[in-house]
Amino acid sequence: MPKFTLSQTAKETGKSKSLIHNAIKFTPPKGIICVSAAASDNHTLLVKVVDSGVGIAPEDLPRVFERFYKADRSRSGGGTGLGLAIAKHIVQAHNGRIWVESRVGKGSTFYFTLPLADSPNRPLTLLEQKPRTNQFV
């Protein structure tokens, strides 16, 4: 099993589940996985999942967040190719960004950002939204 470090902030976001799962899946037993999170100056949280796994080929990088896309077709075991697509939609629904940097044989780094509570870019909670009125004609 790879060495695994998880910051409490990243664990609480819940958005990193697919990224962590993939890091574990594609990192060899003596590899390293590190998850970190830090607030930036522009009112966002940056979460980073770094692994020392197999990496992703440059030609596959633009497509890894597409539904049903699998970069390594030779691995027949498990996975639907939906995890990263779902992570992308969740992050974007919260006005965040998600991207990856990778080198074959060296590993991958997945990043995502989310607006902090004091950010003007964060989505409104249900309690903050204006109530809808049902008007019947």
Side-chain angles (χ1 to χ4, degrees), residues 78-106:
T80 59
L82 287 173
L84 292 177
I86 291 169
K88 175 184 172 183
H89 288 288
I90 291 171
V91 168
Q92 288 178 338
H94 289 87
N95 296 334
R97 273 184 65 224
I98 188 167
W99 69 98
V100 61
E101 296 172 356
S102 187
R103 289 180 44 204
V104 174
K106 300 289 183 184

Side-chain angles (χ1 to χ4, degrees), residues 15-116:
K15 313 295 185 282
S16 54
K17 184 178 177 184
S18 292
L19 304 180
I20 295 169
H21 178 267
N22 282 356
I24 293 169
K25 186 167 146 182
F26 293 108
T27 299
K30 298 215 185 245
I32 296 172
I33 298 167
C34 182
V35 179
S36 62
S40 70
D41 291 341
N42 62 351
H43 303 282
T44 60
L45 176 72
L46 173 65
V47 178
K48 187 163 68 167
V49 180
V50 181
D51 69 58
S52 62
V54 298
I56 303 166
E59 61 270 15
D60 291 319
L61 285 172
R63 301 194 61 202
V64 295
F65 294 103
E66 292 178 11
R67 288 180 296 160
F68 305 112
Y69 187 77
K70 292 184 178 184
D72 189 354
R73 301 225 186 280
S74 66
R75 294 179 185 245
S76 58
T80 59
L82 287 173
L84 292 177
I86 291 169
K88 175 184 172 183
H89 288 288
I90 291 171
V91 168
Q92 288 178 338
H94 289 87
N95 296 334
R97 273 184 65 224
I98 188 167
W99 69 98
V100 61
E101 296 172 356
S102 187
R103 289 180 44 204
V104 174
K106 300 289 183 184
S108 301
T109 302
F110 283 84
Y111 303 87
F112 68 88
T113 62
L114 294 171
L116 294 172

